[in-house]
Amino acid sequence: MITIAESFYDDELWAASSLRVRSFNQFRPGTYGVQDHVKYLAEREFEALKERISGKRIGFRRVSCINASLPVSHISNIYDDLCSSCKFSTYGEDRIVVGSLDLNQCLSLPDEIVGMKPEVSGADTTRAYLSNVCVARELHRNGLAYELLEKSKLVARNWGITDLYVHVADDNEPAKKLYMKSGFVYESDEPAWQARFLDRPRRLLLWMGLSIS
């Protein structure tokens, strides 16, 4: 029923971009021009995502978009907005992206706290960060986010990643509990001045060591 896998095709990447826009922003239904604004944000995320995955973004060695999806037939018809926004087709089947994240093999992410591990040369090949972690609000508390994290660890190990990081807002208690449950531990936090400058909640940096078999 549910599939969690790396995404390589434009229609699924577009669906993932749309899910991120509706997950990370709040819109007032009926507001003039809101649909055009949502489309603009989705287009911007879609192009940036494709650029990162294709290896064209400087500073990123490798990026993978990992999505959780369900067949349309398994989504209640009360979730029309989710179905219309985040639908894609694969092998003749219509599916909905209901969860998404990026795995980024790089030394650091823009405007984020930098991880300190591994403390050896060549860290750009063995350090990775998770970003854009989201699950459709209609399906929160169904274990989807945990399964996405587990899949990202498998992909990271296959890449030879030994140190995996994720940033989380200090006031996001559900997300912090999720990451701790998945095995992440606290490493550092964002200076208060930086959070104020970027006009966002203060972020924590969480770390996990991965064993490479």
Side-chain angles (χ1 to χ4, degrees):
M1 183 172 67
I2 189 163
T3 299
I4 300 179
E6 295 180 81
S7 173
F8 303 100
Y9 301 106
D10 282 4
D11 57 344
E12 186 176 350
L13 295 177
W14 172 261
S17 300
S18 297
L19 177 66
R20 295 171 185 191
V21 169
R22 73 193 300 275
S23 297
F24 299 142
N25 300 273
Q26 292 186 342
F27 304 102
R28 292 182 180 179
T31 303
Y32 177 76
V34 68
Q35 292 302 322
D36 288 340
H37 184 55
V38 169
K39 183 179 179 182
Y40 163 75
L41 293 176
E43 288 174 345
R44 190 169 66 175
E45 170 61 19
F46 175 61
E47 293 301 328
L49 179 57
K50 287 203 301 178
E51 183 181 32
R52 293 192 299 270
I53 290 174
S54 68
K56 296 178 181 178
R57 180 67 66 88
I58 295 174
F60 291 83
R61 291 183 63 91
R62 193 172 185 180
V63 176
S64 178
C65 173
I66 299 173
N67 293 328
S69 67
L70 284 167
V72 170
S73 58
H74 286 74
I75 303 289
S76 171
N77 58 12
I78 65 173
Y79 301 147
D80 285 345
D81 177 66
L82 176 63
C83 291
S84 62
S85 302
C86 306
K87 184 170 72 173
F88 70 100
S89 296
T90 180
Y91 298 109
E93 180 184 49
D94 288 339
R95 300 183 68 89
I96 308 297
V97 172
V98 294
S100 185
L101 62 74
D102 290 339
L103 175 65
N104 308 274
Q105 185 181 27
C106 56
L107 281 174
S108 62
L109 294 178
D111 296 325
E112 295 288 7
I113 320 164
V114 179
M116 301 305 294
K117 298 181 179 69
E119 300 173 353
V120 295
S121 60
D124 59 326
T125 64
T126 57
R127 181 189 302 166
Y129 297 83
L130 301 180
S131 62
N132 295 312
V133 183
C134 62
V135 169
R137 54 183 173 270
E138 295 89 345
L139 297 172
H140 280 183
R141 303 186 185 282
N142 276 286
L144 282 177
Y146 185 85
E147 293 303 320
L148 274 169
L149 295 178
E150 291 303 297
K151 177 64 176 180
S152 71
K153 293 178 205 175
L154 290 175
V155 176
R157 287 189 178 99
N158 288 336
W159 289 3
I161 299 300
T162 58
D163 297 272
L164 185 62
Y165 284 95
V166 67
H167 299 86
V168 60
D170 188 31
D171 60 357
N172 191 340
E173 291 300 328
K176 288 196 292 186
K177 289 180 181 178
L178 167 68
Y179 294 132
M180 298 294 184
K181 177 183 176 182
S182 184
F184 286 90
V185 297
Y186 169 87
E187 181 172 291
S188 62
D189 52 51
E190 182 177 47
W193 67 263
Q194 183 174 339
R196 288 195 300 269
F197 178 76
L198 295 170
D199 191 27
R200 67 185 186 191
R202 192 176 188 185
R203 297 186 189 275
L204 305 180
L205 179 63
L206 308 181
W207 166 84
M208 171 187 288
L210 297 177
S211 58
I212 307 299
S213 57

